[in-house]
Amino acid sequence: MDVRQLEFFIAVAEESSFTRAAERSFVSQPGLSASIRSLERELGTQLFTRGRQGASLTSPGAAFRPRAERILEQVREAQRAVIGDEPGRAELRIGAEQCLGGAVDIVDILTSFAGEHPAADLEFVQDVSSRLAPMLDEGRLDVALIAAPAGSVPVHDSLLLRREPFVALSHTDVPYTSLADLQDVRTVDFGDTWEARRVLDEALAAAGVTRRTMVEANDVHMLVDLVTRGFGISMVPESIAAKQVAQHLVHTPLADAPEWEVHLATCSDPSPSARAFASMFVPQAEIVSFRGDLAVQP
């Protein structure tokens, strides 16, 4: 039994999916599955029930989980004890909504921060906002980029970085001017765990509109390919529509299109590293709305 096996086990338990756990852990799914099977052989019991609906803990798996979490926390404490003796060394756990389009260049931010803070140990998780917010609350993340419906506050300590409308993506010009025009229109949507999908569903429900969702895509490239081939239209945030892969499509603004916001959020007691990371976003903020420990005057 090794630490990586335990990390994979916890990832699958939290995600209820081997696929999402592999994406979160930056490993291939076959590699993660093989690691879990090895752990099960070592323990002599099955930890997960596998099925088409995902993965769920067995009774032995549920009993093993808190113990695995304690072991990992002890490992982290040991790491912190050693790291704490090295001046300037720090750990920063960062999360980001899985598709922010061009709203935030997370790759550029991570690269710049790593260059300015070479002694910092960075962990990065890409996931849907509905799972990132609890990870902040539980202290499993220090800082996260979270998307939310316009006007909402995803977590207490947050900075509003960007607000943007949704636009209709299509392969040819369309006559749509409002959400009502989407009644019974065939669409290509993100999966129902994506924050962009949740914002759109809420807006259409409020407008009394029922569209024909024919395909759910969990990949921007597949969504764009389907729209490109005329399968249907898609309603996406403006910055996603602006991605290079979608620039050849027709972008149609709707008068009453919903808006979403991208927030920078921290845990309740941000570390100096988390504050340093947050400070990199201040010049980029189009709308400044600091709260709590992030209070800074624009």
Side-chain angles (χ1 to χ4, degrees):
M1 187 185 307
D2 61 42
V3 170
R4 198 62 173 150
Q5 285 178 317
L6 296 181
E7 291 175 338
F8 290 160
F9 167 75
I10 294 300
V12 176
E14 291 178 347
E15 299 294 339
S16 299
S17 165
F18 279 79
T19 300
R20 290 196 298 270
E23 291 172 351
R24 160 179 157 177
S25 304
F26 301 101
V27 297
S28 68
Q29 182 176 335
L32 181 141
S33 297
S35 181
I36 295 295
R37 286 195 298 271
S38 175
L39 179 61
E40 289 177 325
R41 285 195 298 272
E42 186 168 348
L43 294 172
T45 188
Q46 185 174 339
L47 299 173
F48 294 100
T49 299
R50 286 92 160 161
R52 297 185 63 180
Q53 301 302 314
S56 58
L57 287 168
T58 61
S59 294
F64 181 64
R65 179 175 179 174
R67 293 161 174 81
E69 290 173 336
R70 285 200 295 272
I71 292 170
L72 288 176
E73 181 55 33
Q74 289 172 347
V75 170
R76 295 187 187 104
E77 287 179 1
Q79 291 172 333
R80 287 193 290 268
V82 174
I83 290 172
D85 292 332
E86 298 182 27
R89 195 72 180 271
E91 179 185 48
L92 182 62
R93 297 161 298 179
I94 305 163
E97 165 70 26
Q98 60 188 8
C99 188
L100 294 173
V104 175
D105 189 339
I106 186 62
V107 174
D108 182 63
I109 291 290
L110 287 172
T111 303
S112 297
F113 185 83
E116 294 178 15
H117 303 270
D121 291 329
L122 305 183
E123 294 183 12
F124 178 68
V125 174
Q126 197 169 32
D127 209 333
V128 294
S129 294
S130 60
R131 287 196 284 264
L132 293 175
M135 292 174 73
L136 280 171
D137 292 339
E138 296 163 7
R140 290 187 287 133
L141 287 178
D142 299 301
V143 62
L145 292 159
I146 294 179
S152 64
V153 180
V155 296
H156 175 66
D157 298 306
S158 64
L159 162 66
L160 177 56
L161 296 176
R162 181 182 176 94
R163 177 183 293 134
E164 61 185 18
F166 280 55
V167 298
L169 280 183
S170 58
H171 76 298
T172 59
D173 290 335
V174 292
Y176 312 137
T177 60
S178 69
L179 292 177
D181 295 329
L182 301 183
Q183 180 68 37
D184 296 325
V185 169
R186 186 164 68 181
T187 61
V188 181
D189 289 329
F190 289 120
D192 60 8
T193 60
W194 288 53
E195 190 62 27
R197 170 67 180 277
R198 186 168 76 88
V199 172
L200 180 61
D201 283 350
E202 290 178 358
L204 291 174
V209 174
T210 303
R211 85 276 202 205
R212 297 167 59 202
T213 300
M214 303 301 292
V215 170
E216 291 185 353
N218 283 309
D219 178 85
V220 173
H221 292 272
M222 180 177 181
L223 181 144
V224 169
D225 284 346
L226 287 165
V227 174
T228 299
R229 301 184 191 194
F231 187 89
I233 73 157
S234 185
M235 288 288 296
V236 299
E238 191 175 52
S239 62
I240 294 179
K243 289 175 73 71
Q244 186 173 359
V245 294
Q247 288 181 359
H248 64 285
L249 296 172
V250 177
H251 302 177
T252 304
L254 304 184
D256 56 350
E259 294 182 322
W260 82 345
E261 297 172 347
V262 177
H263 295 253
L264 174 70
T266 71
C267 60
S268 59
D269 185 20
S271 66
S273 294
R275 291 176 183 275
F277 185 83
S279 71
M280 300 184 70
F281 290 82
V282 177
Q284 301 182 26
E286 296 179 2
I287 305 167
V288 178
S289 176
F290 284 94
R291 300 182 179 87
D293 286 331
L294 286 181
V296 174
Q297 293 300 317

